[in-house]
Amino acid sequence: AGFETDWGEAKEFILNFSNIKSLTLVGSMLLSFSLLLKSVLSAKTKRKANPFLFLIFVAGFVASCCVGQKYKPTFMRIICSYKYYTEGKEFILKYLEQRKDFDYGEISSLVSDKEKRTYVIVIGESANKEHLGLYGYERDTTPKMSGMKSDLYVFDKVTSADCQTFMVLQEALTFDNFAQGDVITFFQKSGFKTFWLSNQFDGGEWTNIVALIGNQADISYFVNLQLTYGLCFDDLLIDPFKQALNDPAPKKVIFVHLHGSHLLYANRYPKDFEIFRDNSSKTRQTICEYDNSIAYTDFILWNLISLLKKKNENSYLLYLSDHGEDVRDAPDCCFCHSPSIAHPSMYSVPFFVWISEKYFNENSEFVKNWNLHKEYKTNKLIHSILRLSRLQISRSEERRVGKE
């Protein structure tokens, strides 16, 4: 995941988790590797190796191993991530060449094409559903969504397939991990104009799997430029969202990728949303900052739904988070989402749908059969989006791309 992030997220990660031991570990490793590199270069230039430098290298390596036992799983994941990243770049080149040739056979619509259709999928970040008032949390972190709960279909047994964004969305938004294309490609071949609006860093389709998907949209807009160091608030997406809604295309699908509740939580919302405070301990104050970020996402969602509702079209808005977050008042809480120290809260995600009156009138029997209490994993999301969008492919194609 480290190779799919930006400077802003990296800086915030360092500020949140740095301490004497971790800094000693990093310093020792950097010193060891730099001296090793110098030794290799000296050998290539046939200069005499310095035995003193070699002893420092050995000492540094031993120190990094001793201090870093706690961090060994993370260190190994960094090595594995780099391998995945380099292999991924080769895959992306091949995928971009093949993408235009994907064939889903005959794609049919289960609703009339006479009505305008606008479908919206909002992808949150690091939202643990146990911290949403909508799901019964003791704090009212979702006053807007709770106030319109009767208009929402709230699914309460949804878990993410992983706890890292790129791993989750690679499964959730593609057919068989890109083997049969992605959700943007499918909608384009179904006659929809596609939009990808994001407050996540655009590393370009060469460096970021999620950006690879987003950059294939007809209109892609990334507000979080590297120079902003990740400090853009999600309300910067509202104006681009209005523009997408006003686009004259009769069939549109709009993906909105929030920065949500990614750490540092206090950087995810403006001063007006410092609602919860508790300075009795650092842990409790961090929980307050996380809850404030949830409240801000609630405000963003309310704005998006309100704008969509005003269009009075056949439409829906689906919200889910990519993964959860470990946010607890407990000694072992990490305030993070890492597979190496996995906790159930990292996989517990909100998942709910708002639908327009026209959508319900045209799909009432379909909607009435929704099971809000069914266990569900987000790796099935792409198939659920197709059903929610009332699109259907032939049975042979269903078998080929896999079915929900």
Side-chain angles (χ1 to χ4, degrees):
F3 296 99
E4 302 239 345
T5 191
D6 61 89
W7 163 245
E9 289 189 357
K11 183 181 74 171
E12 291 179 348
F13 180 87
I14 292 169
L15 289 173
N16 196 59
F17 292 106
S18 61
N19 53 43
I20 297 298
K21 284 188 176 183
S22 61
L23 290 175
T24 302
L25 167 65
V26 173
S28 299
M29 289 173 60
L30 288 175
L31 176 63
S32 300
F33 289 131
S34 62
L35 291 175
L36 177 62
L37 178 62
K38 184 172 182 179
S39 176
V40 171
L41 292 175
S42 296
K44 286 186 176 182
T45 55
K46 297 183 179 180
R47 291 175 57 186
K48 188 175 180 181
N50 189 329
F52 180 67
L53 291 180
F54 177 75
L55 288 175
I56 295 179
F57 164 73
V58 173
F61 182 77
V62 171
S64 68
C65 290
C66 293
V67 176
Q69 285 303 308
K70 176 182 175 182
Y71 306 93
K72 190 173 181 181
T74 300
F75 178 64
M76 294 307 296
R77 285 187 65 84
I78 291 173
I79 295 174
C80 293
S81 293
Y82 180 73
K83 181 177 181 293
Y84 172 87
Y85 174 75
T86 52
E87 291 175 350
K89 289 185 75 171
E90 295 178 7
F91 161 77
I92 288 171
L93 178 61
K94 184 178 179 181
Y95 179 74
L96 290 174
E97 293 175 349
Q98 295 177 338
R99 179 179 176 271
K100 62 181 182 296
D101 298 324
F102 285 118
D103 182 10
Y104 300 104
E106 182 180 352
I107 302 172
S108 57
S109 175
L110 298 176
V111 295
S112 170
D113 277 336
K114 294 179 181 179
E115 291 275 356
K116 279 193 169 185
R117 285 185 275 167
T118 301
Y119 301 147
V120 180
I121 296 93
V122 182
I123 303 167
E125 168 71 54
S126 304
N128 175 351
K129 81 163 182 267
E130 309 305 329
H131 281 256
L132 273 71
L134 184 66
Y135 282 89
Y137 183 46
E138 60 188 19
R139 284 177 170 166
D140 189 12
T141 55
T142 55
K144 299 292 189 182
M145 293 301 98
S146 296
M148 59 185 302
K149 188 172 183 178
S150 60
D151 295 328
L152 300 176
Y153 295 84
V154 182
F155 295 80
D156 57 14
K157 292 186 179 179
V158 178
T159 55
S160 62
D162 202 281
C163 61
Q164 292 183 317
T165 299
F166 74 98
M167 293 296 290
V168 172
L169 297 186
Q170 179 171 321
E171 281 196 87
L173 300 180
T174 72
F175 293 108
D176 193 19
N177 284 323
F178 288 104
Q180 303 298 335
D182 59 77
V183 68
I184 296 292
T185 303
F186 184 87
F187 270 109
Q188 288 171 335
K189 290 183 179 291
S190 304
F192 280 74
K193 187 167 184 178
T194 55
F195 299 79
W196 186 276
L197 313 177
S198 176
N199 192 20
Q200 299 271 342
F201 173 61
D202 176 16
E205 58 194 18
W206 299 103
T207 59
N208 185 302
I209 288 293
V210 181
L212 165 66
I213 298 171
N215 275 303
Q216 307 313 309
D218 297 304
I219 302 292
S220 57
Y221 190 84
F222 292 80
V223 300
N224 193 344
L225 303 178
Q226 190 172 14
L227 294 178
T228 64
Y229 299 141
L231 296 179
C232 296
F233 298 134
D234 284 331
D235 63 356
L236 288 177
L237 293 169
I238 292 177
D239 280 343
F241 183 73
K242 289 178 182 177
Q243 294 173 23
L245 287 180
N246 291 329
D247 189 284
K251 296 192 295 183
K252 301 189 292 285
V253 60
I254 306 169
F255 289 84
V256 182
H257 196 184
L258 305 177
H259 213 170
S261 299
H262 196 288
L263 60 81
L264 295 168
Y265 314 132
N267 288 347
R268 301 285 80 84
Y269 54 88
K271 293 288 184 182
D272 293 348
F273 279 83
E274 287 184 2
I275 302 167
F276 306 107
R277 299 179 183 86
D278 187 343
N279 293 317
S280 62
S281 71
K282 183 179 178 181
T283 294
R284 290 177 180 174
Q285 179 55 27
T286 302
I287 293 173
C288 287
E289 291 166 357
Y290 181 80
D291 289 347
N292 288 336
S293 73
I294 296 291
Y296 185 58
T297 296
D298 174 67
F299 169 75
I300 298 297
L301 289 170
W302 176 78
N303 273 276
L304 299 181
I305 292 173
S306 299
L307 290 167
L308 183 58
K309 188 175 183 179
K310 286 179 182 178
K311 299 302 290 184
N312 192 30
E313 296 175 352
N314 184 324
S315 58
Y316 70 75
L317 183 145
L318 163 65
Y319 169 73
L320 75 155
S321 183
D322 54 359
H323 50 73
E325 187 86 344
D326 184 14
V327 180
R328 298 171 292 127
D329 189 0
D332 63 337
C333 175
C334 70
F335 292 108
C336 70
H337 48 272
S338 172
S340 61
I341 45 176
H343 186 273
S345 58
M346 298 178 190
Y347 302 86
S348 177
V349 295
F351 189 109
F352 53 83
V353 181
W354 172 89
I355 61 174
S356 69
E357 185 177 345
K358 286 186 176 180
Y359 182 98
F360 179 81
N361 289 339
E362 200 162 356
N363 303 284
S364 58
E365 290 304 313
F366 169 62
V367 174
K368 288 175 183 177
N369 287 324
W370 291 356
N371 184 351
L372 305 182
H373 311 297
K374 179 182 178 181
E375 292 188 358
Y376 176 89
K377 269 196 175 181
T378 56
N379 58 348
K380 302 174 183 177
L381 181 66
I382 190 168
H383 302 285
S384 300
I385 290 175
L386 266 56
R387 294 186 66 204
L388 194 57
S389 304
R390 312 308 287 136
L391 296 173
Q392 183 174 273
I393 54 181
S394 65
R395 291 190 179 276
S396 61
E397 291 302 312
E398 283 181 351
R399 286 193 294 270
R400 187 167 64 87
V401 302
K403 187 181 179 182
E404 178 191 1

